[in-house]
Amino acid sequence: MNKNLINVLYADTCIINLKNIKKYQSLLGKFFSINKLNSYVDEESKKQYLLSCYLLYLMCLKNNINSNQLIRQDKKKPYIKKNKLFFSISHKKNIVAIACSKINVAIDIEIKNPKINWKQISKNHFSKEENRMLNCSRNKINQFYEMWCMHECLIKLQSNSSVVLFDYWWKNNWIFCIAVECSINKSVAKYSNNKFVFKRVKLIK
């Protein structure tokens, strides 16, 4: 994989059929935990978890990474042995997305709600400078969501780097935010030409 390439897979939970658990378990192997699945109470959460496992499986399959290289930790972000691949997963309602790259990456997705009280939320959670930028924006609702996703990505990135680059992809009312970590010892320009490849997964075969 090109180091400057960030791959994103996303899918709708409607492609998941919970009646086929044994089929998924056989396909996904260690990428899937039946105990984790059963820990979710509602059907939609089960589908989100199962779909996230499937998307991770596809990403690893594409990069010749087997399930034994996936390390899971209690209450911590899972990772690939020897950092062969960085990945991040996000879900909102019926959409699940995963981003992966050779550099540290995070993804957050949201669906735009025109009725949201963005002024109150931004006042409570954004800095004075961020609120100033938001108030100066021509499209305040979009700007709000981009800033909100940026904050979420920073948390997921778990980075100590002083430089983090962001990019956004809007599809209808959905926003996909990507963040990548930049080494302070390397030129920011090296990472500023990252190529994002988005692919929708339509059916589990």
Side-chain angles (χ1 to χ4, degrees):
M1 179 190 288
N2 185 328
K3 189 170 183 178
N4 283 0
L5 186 66
I6 292 91
N7 279 290
V8 178
L9 291 180
Y10 68 100
D12 193 312
T13 54
C14 68
I15 71 173
I16 297 293
N17 185 347
L18 292 177
K19 294 181 180 179
N20 294 333
I21 296 298
K22 289 185 178 180
K23 172 186 173 183
Y24 300 143
Q25 196 170 10
S26 175
L27 174 68
L28 302 176
K30 291 184 179 179
F31 289 102
F32 167 78
S33 166
I34 189 66
N35 291 332
K36 180 72 172 179
L37 178 72
N38 291 334
S39 70
Y40 296 103
V41 178
D42 61 287
E43 184 175 295
E44 189 60 28
S45 294
K46 290 177 184 288
K47 287 185 176 182
Q48 288 175 348
Y49 169 71
L50 192 48
L51 183 53
S52 68
C53 293
Y54 179 63
L55 295 180
L56 178 59
Y57 161 79
L58 290 180
M59 278 292 192
C60 289
L61 187 66
K62 182 178 180 180
N63 291 278
N64 297 315
I65 294 173
N66 62 54
S67 60
N68 291 326
Q69 294 172 287
L70 178 66
I71 306 299
R72 295 186 181 276
Q73 309 171 93
D74 288 340
K75 300 179 181 179
K76 290 185 179 181
K77 184 178 179 180
Y79 66 95
I80 303 295
K81 277 185 180 179
K82 298 182 181 179
N83 288 340
K84 288 186 176 181
L85 187 72
F86 290 91
F87 68 91
S88 177
I89 298 173
S90 182
H91 57 79
K92 185 72 174 183
K93 293 189 175 181
N94 60 308
I95 299 295
V96 178
I98 181 172
C100 80
S101 175
K102 289 293 185 180
I103 54 178
N104 195 7
V105 64
I107 185 171
D108 189 61
I109 60 174
E110 292 287 342
I111 184 169
K112 184 164 66 173
N113 178 6
K115 297 181 180 180
I116 194 172
N117 188 354
W118 61 266
K119 289 184 179 180
Q120 187 61 46
I121 296 174
S122 61
K123 181 180 179 181
N124 292 338
H125 297 280
F126 293 171
S127 68
K128 289 183 179 180
E129 179 62 21
E130 287 171 329
N131 275 288
R132 186 192 66 77
M133 292 173 59
L134 182 57
N135 290 328
C136 291
S137 175
R138 291 183 178 180
N139 190 332
K140 292 180 174 58
I141 186 71
N142 279 20
Q143 181 71 38
F144 164 79
Y145 274 102
E146 289 178 1
M147 286 181 165
W148 181 263
C149 288
M150 179 189 74
H151 280 262
E152 291 293 311
C153 278
L154 279 174
I155 295 172
K156 293 180 179 181
L157 203 59
Q158 298 180 2
S159 171
N160 294 320
S161 173
S162 60
V163 182
V164 176
L165 298 182
F166 297 91
D167 204 353
Y168 308 93
W169 181 57
W170 283 92
K171 183 174 178 61
N172 301 323
N173 286 326
W174 287 91
I175 178 175
F176 293 68
C177 175
I178 305 290
V180 290
E181 177 183 31
C182 298
S183 170
I184 58 176
N185 298 319
K186 296 181 179 179
S187 171
V188 174
K190 181 176 181 180
Y191 297 101
S192 62
N193 61 345
N194 287 301
K195 296 179 181 179
F196 298 88
V197 178
F198 290 86
K199 181 179 179 182
R200 181 165 187 170
V201 177
K202 296 183 179 180
L203 182 66
I204 294 183
K205 296 181 180 180

